[in-house]
Amino acid sequence: MNSLFRCVAAVLALYAAAPALAQDLDDAKDNIAGPYVPTPGVIVDEMLKLAGIRGEDVVYDLGSGDGRLVIEAAKRFGARGVGVELQTELVELARTGAKREGVADRVKFVQGDLFEADIKDASVVMLYLLPRFTTRLVPKLRAELRPGARIVSHDYPLAPWPPDKELSMDVPEKEMISGTAWTRLFYYVVPARVQGVWELSLPKTLAGGPLTLDIAQEPDSLSGTAKDAKEVLPLRDLAVRGVSVRFGLLYRGRLIALEGKVDGQTMAGEARGRDVHEPWTARYRGPIAR
Ligand SMILES: C[S@@+](CC[C@H](N)C(=O)[O-])C[C@H]1O[C@@H](n2cnc3c(N)ncnc32)[C@H](O)[C@@H]1O
């Protein structure tokens, strides 16, 4: 048996055995988010590139298999990393790999359920899971990761969350694994949480008093209004990317463009209009009354 064949046979054996084994252990939970199928090296490279890994990153792989994504991020970019993996043998394999590659002091592999993992320290999350489970992870990722954290998902999008970027490529090695060489990568940046009621203070040249912003934020939609005592106006082209926010407002016959940063319960930035270039702020006031 040549070594490539031995390697494929080993992967297929794990592929076949893993779900059954884990299923026995954890049947009621329906948490087996995919069999063990390692990401080919060329795709590992693309995932790290797409995430824009830097030395200060903390890279999590949820369902980390043999740990290759976390190990490569540490080895090539000096990042720190955590792999969360259900299967004990794979956790051991990853720990051995980390020692062999000289990065054991920067990475950690934890045996556990990715749906219960504490992920708040991650600045980057890597995923290669079946689509039903990537979708199930969306609320957790958006609630627990800090705004600006990046996510790269191999082959399956985090529907219904629209990706910030998408790449596709042909990788012949994938044909043995998934029956097609076509590979897709989906990239997301966790947006700041802006859902709720905010009190918007505009420059005095633009408004006599504060306005109330009502913002509705879902993974696949973002909309809002601004109101004063007299009128309710739509927020035009409202967008949040990481901690950056922007929107337009047609207020008292003047078009104002607002850009700024969200920092927890405050927003602040610059308002621009004809002859105006001044600061604005907003303070979070609470949830939208239903
Ligand atoms: C397709 S493999 C990907 C491995 C690795 N991330 C890579 O890209 O090379 C999916 C991995 O997720 C693991 N897994 C599945 N459900 C899990 C869960 N609930 N918690 C932790 N790991 C899980 C599997 O055991 C498997 O190793």
Side-chain angles (χ1 to χ4, degrees):
M1 218 191 299
N2 70 33
S3 62
L4 175 66
F5 186 76
R6 265 201 305 272
C7 175
V8 171
V11 167
L12 291 177
L14 272 168
Y15 184 103
L21 187 69
Q23 199 80 44
D24 284 350
L25 293 173
D26 241 339
D27 209 13
K29 277 187 168 173
D30 183 27
N31 67 339
I32 311 302
Y36 173 51
V37 182
T39 294
V42 55
I43 303 173
V44 170
D45 294 349
E46 292 298 329
M47 291 176 77
L48 297 176
K49 209 193 296 172
L50 186 56
I53 307 289
R54 306 180 286 263
E56 64 268 28
D57 276 319
V58 181
V59 180
Y60 275 54
D61 185 1
L62 301 182
S64 49
D66 67 1
R68 57 184 61 200
L69 279 153
V70 170
I71 291 170
E72 284 303 308
K75 204 170 115 184
R76 289 198 224 162
F77 300 95
R80 285 180 296 129
V82 177
V84 181
E85 171 57 55
L86 216 45
Q87 298 186 56
T88 316
E89 322 82 74
L90 289 171
V91 174
E92 286 308 323
L93 195 60
R95 287 177 184 158
T96 306
K99 279 190 203 133
R100 187 182 58 240
E101 300 299 332
V103 295
D105 57 334
R106 291 209 295 285
V107 304
K108 189 167 82 174
F109 292 98
V110 184
Q111 192 281 324
D113 183 352
L114 65 93
F115 293 101
E116 287 164 18
D118 178 352
I119 57 169
K120 66 178 180 314
D121 290 337
S123 61
V124 174
V125 172
M126 300 294 192
L127 301 170
Y128 186 18
L129 304 172
L130 293 171
R132 183 160 74 86
F133 296 93
T134 51
T135 289
R136 195 196 282 180
L137 264 182
V138 170
K140 178 177 173 73
L141 296 168
R142 290 177 67 103
E144 295 180 22
L145 292 174
R146 72 179 83 116
R150 294 103 71 202
I151 302 164
V152 175
S153 180
H154 177 180
D155 270 349
Y156 303 111
L158 305 181
W161 186 358
D164 291 281
K165 266 189 229 165
E166 192 177 332
L167 283 187
S168 68
M169 69 200 98
D170 277 340
V171 178
E173 277 169 271
K174 283 280 287 288
E175 238 170 304
M176 281 190 299
I177 297 165
S178 50
T180 168
W182 193 42
T183 296
R184 295 194 297 163
L185 298 181
F186 300 91
Y187 173 80
Y188 303 82
V189 181
V190 175
R193 289 171 268 284
V194 294
Q195 161 87 23
V197 180
W198 299 74
E199 186 181 280
L200 170 66
S201 301
L202 288 172
K204 287 212 165 44
T205 41
L206 296 175
L211 282 79
T212 302
L213 301 181
D214 277 358
I215 301 181
Q217 183 179 33
E218 296 291 336
D220 54 350
S221 67
L222 184 64
S223 62
T225 57
K227 64 178 180 237
D228 64 8
K230 289 194 190 136
E231 54 186 344
V232 180
L233 303 161
L235 302 184
R236 299 168 165 229
D237 303 319
L238 173 62
V240 176
R241 187 175 158 96
V243 296
S244 300
V245 60
R246 66 177 160 75
F247 55 93
L249 199 58
L250 184 58
Y251 187 58
R252 295 181 176 168
R254 225 168 168 164
L255 188 58
I256 313 165
L258 294 102
E259 284 189 359
K261 302 274 181 219
V262 185
D263 182 5
Q265 303 212 331
T266 58
M267 298 185 204
E270 265 182 351
R272 284 185 216 166
R274 193 163 31 87
D275 307 328
V276 181
H277 197 194
E278 289 187 59
W280 65 275
T281 58
R283 287 208 143 274
Y284 180 71
R285 288 296 177 224
I288 297 174
R290 303 252 167 216

